[in-house]
Amino acid sequence: QSALTQPPSVSGSPGQSVTISCTGTSNDVGSYDRVSWYQQSPGTAPKVIIYEVNNRPPGVPDRFFGSKSGNMASLTISGLQAEDEAVYYCGSYTVRSTYVFGGGTRVTVL
Amino acid sequence: QVQLQESGPGLVKPSETLSLTCSVSGGAISGYYWVWIRQPPGKGLEWIGYIFYSGNTSYNPSLKSRVSLLLDTSKNQFSLKMSSVTAADTAVYFCARLTSSWDAFDIWGQGTMVTVSS
């Protein structure tokens, strides 16, 4: 199975918005609303910030917003803050009852 | 609060079998899927496979021939075995919980670094 496609990096100034795309296929992202997003800071385990396309776990700020259209999911971070600097990964369930991740996107706060 | 902790050798020789265990504390294994994910140095996440508490499994097709997951409910542990390892298997290995109510990996271990080298 091929990894989902994410841009290697995005950047923005504090207070701005950035959007990370996650492109899959009809075998994964396009087939189910089972897309999740993870935030990973250096030296730590990933943390789920979005599940089932657009749901936030308790404690995750509403600045994080997930969406999906067709085979592409997106994560938007609005009101960018310095603490949002991290690598973000999307993940999706697939038609083969497996899971696949994206390659990761590094978010830099300028 | 449920916590996960990986354990196992940090160094494995090429062609040998990598064995890791994940201990689950603060909650029961039943009712959840239990997962292994790895991350080569400086690279992204790779899903290895999951095992349901009933024993059902699913594996990454690219690793399926070399991987097996086992569950020990009496010890509240699950384990990963990967055979015929090469340098390409060098990575941080994470165990995690997949919750069906979120369909996401909601709890992670801290990860353990495994190096394949002679």
Side-chain angles (χ1 to χ4, degrees):
Chain A
Q1 59 191 20
S2 298
L4 307 176
T5 301
Q6 297 181 235
S9 64
V10 298
S11 62
S13 299
Q16 288 187 331
S17 293
V18 295
T19 296
I20 302 168
S21 59
C22 170
T23 303
T25 70
S26 58
N27 291 327
D28 37 64
V29 175
S31 278
Y32 308 98
D33 285 342
R34 296 166 78 168
V35 176
S36 48
W37 289 89
Y38 302 85
Q39 177 191 61
Q40 187 179 33
S41 298
T44 67
K47 167 191 168 185
V48 60
I49 57 170
I50 295 288
Y51 65 93
E52 293 177 342
V53 176
N54 57 11
N55 295 282
R56 284 183 301 276
V60 174
D62 59 7
R63 302 183 291 103
F64 293 90
F65 177 78
S67 61
K68 193 190 91 165
S69 178
N71 295 338
M72 189 173 80
S74 298
L75 173 71
T76 298
I77 310 173
S78 59
L80 201 59
Q81 299 183 5
E83 67 200 50
D84 298 332
E85 272 207 351
V87 179
Y88 293 80
Y89 295 91
C90 59
S92 175
Y93 184 68
T94 83
V95 297
R96 299 177 71 174
S97 300
T98 62
Y99 283 83
V100 63
F101 287 105
T105 299
R106 182 174 301 279
V107 171
T108 302
V109 181
L110 302 172
Chain B
Q1 182 163 345
V2 177
Q3 293 185 318
L4 306 182
Q5 178 67 59
E6 305 89 350
S7 60
L11 181 64
V12 182
K13 290 183 168 54
S15 80
E16 295 191 344
T17 295
L18 178 161
S19 295
L20 295 175
T21 297
C22 183
S23 298
V24 181
S25 59
I29 274 189
S30 60
Y32 294 96
Y33 293 82
W34 301 96
V35 179
W36 288 96
I37 292 162
R38 70 180 181 178
Q39 185 171 37
K43 296 188 177 180
L45 303 172
E46 181 178 31
W47 179 80
I48 297 172
Y50 69 63
I51 183 166
F52 192 42
Y53 79 101
S54 63
N56 290 346
T57 56
S58 176
Y59 299 114
N60 186 321
S62 67
L63 299 172
K64 186 174 183 176
S65 64
R66 299 194 293 126
V67 169
S68 65
L69 302 190
L70 298 171
L71 206 61
D72 188 337
T73 54
S74 66
K75 294 182 179 179
N76 241 30
Q77 293 177 337
F78 60 103
S79 62
L80 164 70
K81 291 190 183 302
M82 179 181 294
S83 63
S84 305
V85 297
T86 70
D89 296 310
T90 293
V92 175
Y93 286 75
F94 295 99
C95 60
R97 188 180 79 173
L98 170 64
T99 174
S100 56
S101 58
W102 286 3
D103 209 353
F105 311 113
D106 66 333
I107 298 175
W108 296 65
Q110 65 186 24
T112 186
M113 180 69 200
V114 177
T115 301
V116 179
S117 175
S118 55

